[in-house]
Amino acid sequence: MQSQQRPASNDGPGKSSVGWRNLFEDMREGFFVAEAVRDASGRMVDFRYIEVNPAFEAITEVRVTDAVGHTGSQTIAGLPQQVIDIFRDVVETAQPTEFEIQVAALGNRWFEARARSLGDDLFSVLFLDITARKKALAKLVQSEERFRLLADASPHMLWIADLDGTAEYFNRAWDQYTGIDHRREHARDVVGKYIHPDDRAITLARFGQALKTFKPFEVEHRIRSAQGDYRWFLVRAEPYFDPLTGRPVRWYGSSVDIHDSKLAHDALRESQEALRTADRRKDEFLATLAHELRNPLAPLRNGLHIARLLVPADSRVQRTVQMMDRQLTHLVRLVDDLMDVGRVTSGKLALQRRPVSLRTVLADSLEATRAAIEAHEHQVVVDAGDGDLKILGDADRLTQVLVNLLTNSVKYTPRGGRIGIRLGRQDEHAVLSIEDNGIGIPPENLSDVFQLFSQVRVHQCLAEGGLGIGLALVRSLVALHGGTVEAHSEGPGRGSVFTVRLPLNKEATLES
């Protein structure tokens, strides 16, 4: 047995050079020199350590004194036969070799080694513990496998590309939709083969900009299926940056099928545009209709006035003229409402704002509806409070609001009914309510009474029912004054309450 014998080769560690010795001692890799141990037939069956460096002891946890002069089998119990076989090939062929091996006797650790022949049955081995690397690699492989399983389970098309835009991975959904297997293709080729010709330019521009800036990008385009048809997809991609260096490494992207939702959205947009066009044409029609209807009204009223003067003694003619005058007044009001609706919807209605007394507006409104109230024999009770409330508004338009509300109560309250009007103040608003004991409003229709052309079903049978524009005009005019109007009813046969709230003109109210 040779103890701490150094090889005599001029190329080996037997040199007495101080520099070599320092290198030998400072190496982080394990290093040893050994000689072949042969049996009686001359076959190498083991090896004996001649010299080892300090890193040998640090890596293997085998003391130098327990290794030098002893065989590999003696030093490491259960040394794999594969190690001896590898060293035999190096000694007999004089060809260096590199290998990785797991040694159970050393805690199942992995080692990376390079063996080199030194001649005369001597050889050297440089080795490193790579267990941590192996474990990290195993985790990485496991992580990648999990990613692939997750990606293949996704119904969306997922992909990975390197920094120059070459695809490294496509998931199963991509393969099934396009009918191809995983392959490396550059983004230009993918776009050229699978993206609709009309969408290629924008797709390449977006991705090309992203490749320069390494910022997330998004684009919608159509992708050809294995059957040859195209569907819309929303494509998003994010760059992945190395957590250690902060440099971009690759792109992770998804292509989500949005075909059905996009078609539905486009159809909805076209439908909305068609509705806007129809609404605009309706407004134009109403404005034209109101204008054309109003032209003959003045001659008709003049004719009635002449008839009243020409046949003053005939009571039948006078009653007929009065009836025609009432109907003509009703027709004038309908035409005026139509024209005002057209002005409101087109944004052409301008208010002549000035301080307005609501007591005065209320008095004017009662005077304008007195004939209708008396004709229906209604009792009107007014509670206007003691003080005068003023707002900044258009007196004529506010009178129009109250006339429409009063007319509404008159029409839908049976003969001899009661209409209560109350004017008061709440916080910084004037509050005016008109309450009747008329036919009421079904709860399901309360939210619709202010809609243009809305007709409550139970009201449609009434001879005096209007076109459904009066309350819509009320809401628009009140809104132009910065106020609100609400309707309330306990149901059919239980009357209705309409409440208008308007912001007070503080300065004018204080002055009064």
Side-chain angles (χ1 to χ4, degrees):
M1 179 180 295
Q2 302 178 18
S3 177
Q4 299 188 24
Q5 178 181 347
R6 298 181 181 180
S9 170
N10 291 333
D11 296 328
K15 298 175 70 174
S16 59
S17 167
V18 175
W20 182 90
R21 171 54 57 181
N22 290 338
L23 176 63
F24 183 73
E25 298 289 340
D26 294 340
M27 289 174 60
R28 298 178 61 183
E29 297 85 353
F31 182 80
F32 66 87
V33 176
E35 64 178 351
V37 175
R38 299 181 182 276
D39 61 12
S41 66
R43 176 180 174 77
M44 178 178 169
V45 295
D46 206 340
F47 62 92
R48 182 177 292 107
Y49 294 104
I50 301 300
E51 188 161 5
V52 302
N53 72 339
F56 176 96
E57 180 175 328
I59 294 174
T60 64
E61 299 180 356
V62 176
R63 292 183 300 175
V64 173
T65 55
D66 292 336
V68 175
H70 297 83
T71 65
S73 299
Q74 293 171 337
T75 304
I76 302 175
L79 182 70
Q81 179 62 40
Q82 181 185 0
V83 174
I84 298 175
D85 293 341
I86 292 174
F87 292 163
R88 181 190 305 117
D89 289 340
V90 171
V91 170
E92 292 179 353
T93 64
Q95 295 296 320
T97 186
E98 295 180 0
F99 62 97
E100 293 181 1
I101 192 166
Q102 187 177 25
V103 183
L106 297 178
N108 282 322
R109 285 185 290 163
W110 279 90
F111 297 91
E112 179 183 76
R114 176 179 177 84
R116 180 185 182 89
S117 172
L118 300 178
D120 297 332
D121 275 358
L122 296 176
F123 63 94
S124 64
V125 177
L126 184 70
F127 66 97
L128 186 65
D129 187 337
I130 61 169
T131 305
R133 186 199 309 171
K134 279 285 187 180
K135 289 181 178 180
L137 181 60
K139 289 183 178 180
L140 178 61
V141 171
Q142 186 182 47
S143 177
E144 290 184 353
E145 182 61 23
R146 289 175 178 173
F147 165 77
R148 292 179 185 275
L149 289 173
L150 180 62
D152 283 339
S154 172
H156 305 307
M157 292 156 54
L158 307 179
W159 48 271
I160 303 173
D162 60 21
L163 293 185
D164 74 348
T166 299
E168 297 179 345
Y169 168 77
F170 293 109
N171 73 334
R172 183 182 300 157
W174 173 273
D175 296 346
Q176 292 175 342
Y177 179 79
T178 60
I180 65 168
D181 295 328
H182 295 162
R183 63 182 66 181
R184 287 180 58 84
E185 290 190 287
H186 194 275
R188 291 186 300 272
D189 301 324
V190 173
V191 171
K193 291 181 180 179
Y194 309 110
I195 308 304
H196 193 283
D198 294 344
D199 306 330
R200 291 171 185 171
I202 183 64
T203 300
L204 289 175
R206 293 279 179 84
F207 194 44
Q209 183 65 21
L211 291 178
K212 295 177 181 178
T213 62
F214 298 111
K215 292 183 178 179
F217 82 96
E218 178 179 305
V219 68
E220 292 181 4
H221 59 211
R222 286 159 288 183
I223 303 178
R224 179 170 53 83
S225 71
Q227 291 73 38
D229 59 329
Y230 286 89
R231 292 184 66 84
W232 281 98
F233 286 81
L234 172 63
V235 180
R236 288 194 178 103
E238 293 270 352
Y240 172 73
F241 294 86
D242 188 297
L244 298 179
T245 64
R247 296 178 179 176
V249 177
R250 59 179 59 88
W251 290 89
Y252 287 85
S254 65
S255 300
V256 180
D257 191 324
I258 59 169
H259 189 78
D260 295 335
S261 62
K262 184 174 180 63
L263 293 185
H265 176 75
D266 291 345
L268 177 61
R269 184 173 57 190
E270 292 176 1
S271 176
Q272 290 174 337
E273 181 60 32
L275 287 175
R276 283 192 291 269
T277 300
D279 192 57
R280 184 173 62 253
R281 290 176 179 173
K282 177 261 297 179
D283 293 339
E284 294 171 354
F285 168 76
L286 290 178
T288 302
L289 176 64
H291 180 75
E292 294 298 328
L293 288 175
R294 193 170 188 178
N295 288 336
L297 293 182
L300 287 175
R301 188 173 293 279
N302 291 334
L304 290 175
H305 181 67
I306 294 173
R308 187 181 292 112
L309 295 176
L310 291 179
V311 195
D314 192 328
S315 59
R316 292 176 299 174
V317 172
Q318 291 299 318
R319 286 196 300 270
T320 302
V321 169
Q322 289 175 358
M323 179 271 295
M324 294 175 65
D325 187 66
R326 287 196 302 272
Q327 296 302 318
L328 183 60
T329 299
H330 179 61
L331 180 59
V332 169
R333 188 172 69 251
L334 289 178
V335 172
D336 288 342
D337 283 350
L338 273 176
M339 295 187 70
D340 286 338
V341 165
R343 295 188 186 101
V344 169
T345 55
S346 63
K348 296 179 180 179
L349 183 63
L351 299 180
Q352 303 298 320
R353 296 180 184 271
R354 64 179 185 276
V356 176
S357 167
L358 289 182
R359 293 175 69 93
T360 302
V361 169
L362 178 56
D364 292 343
S365 303
L366 286 170
E367 181 62 30
T369 55
R370 183 176 304 280
I373 292 172
E374 292 177 351
H376 287 76
E377 301 178 356
H378 290 324
Q379 177 188 4
V380 178
V381 179
V382 179
D383 179 6
D386 297 330
D388 191 12
L389 299 176
K390 294 185 178 181
I391 72 166
L392 189 64
D394 188 317
D396 292 338
R397 295 303 178 182
L398 289 171
T399 300
Q400 187 177 2
V401 166
L402 297 189
V403 166
N404 278 348
L405 290 176
L406 285 169
T407 302
N408 190 75
S409 290
V410 169
K411 287 193 301 184
Y412 298 118
T413 299
R415 182 175 297 274
R418 181 182 185 278
I419 299 175
I421 303 173
R422 177 173 295 178
L423 177 62
R425 174 173 181 165
Q426 188 176 63
D427 298 328
E428 301 301 322
H429 287 78
V431 180
L432 188 145
S433 62
I434 299 177
E435 181 177 2
D436 62 60
N437 60 350
I439 64 175
I441 305 171
E444 64 272 16
N445 295 123
L446 282 173
S447 60
D448 300 329
V449 294
F450 295 106
Q451 297 296 325
L452 189 61
F453 305 125
S454 173
Q455 291 271 310
V456 178
R457 184 176 298 276
V458 297
H459 297 170
Q460 291 176 348
C461 60
L462 297 179
E464 296 186 49
L467 298 176
I469 60 177
L471 293 181
L473 187 58
V474 165
R475 184 182 64 173
S476 297
L477 292 175
V478 170
L480 287 173
H481 283 84
T484 60
V485 59
E486 296 176 350
H488 177 74
S489 175
E490 295 296 332
R494 306 185 66 177
S496 305
V497 181
F498 288 85
T499 304
V500 176
R501 289 179 174 82
L502 296 165
L504 289 168
N505 183 351
K506 298 179 183 180
E507 293 77 6
T509 301
L510 291 174
E511 291 175 1
S512 64

